[in-house]
Amino acid sequence: MIFPLVWRALPGPTALKVLELVILLAAITYALFTWVFPWIAADILPPPDGTVDTSTAPTP
């Protein structure tokens, strides 16, 4: 398992290890949402059309 390896690699007592894990998970999540997911989406998803159809918009 990867978790016991990470747990043993972190320095400090248990409370500090928990705090370090929370910070580590937040940093990984931030990196994924900031760089990895948009990079993958740019390759998979088609580009947006960029047009707006105003013919069906209700008139006031």
Side-chain angles (χ1 to χ4, degrees):
M1 248 354 254
I2 193 74
F3 186 75
L5 294 174
V6 173
W7 187 258
R8 279 185 259 134
L10 293 174
T14 303
L16 183 59
K17 286 183 180 187
V18 170
L19 179 63
E20 291 169 345
L21 275 176
V22 168
I23 292 170
L24 184 63
L25 288 175
I28 290 171
T29 303
Y30 175 78
L32 285 173
F33 277 99
T34 303
W35 296 296
V36 178
F37 294 154
W39 175 65
I40 292 172
D43 290 340
I44 295 174
L45 299 175
D49 288 340
T51 59
V52 177
D53 184 17
T54 58
S55 63
T56 59
T59 57

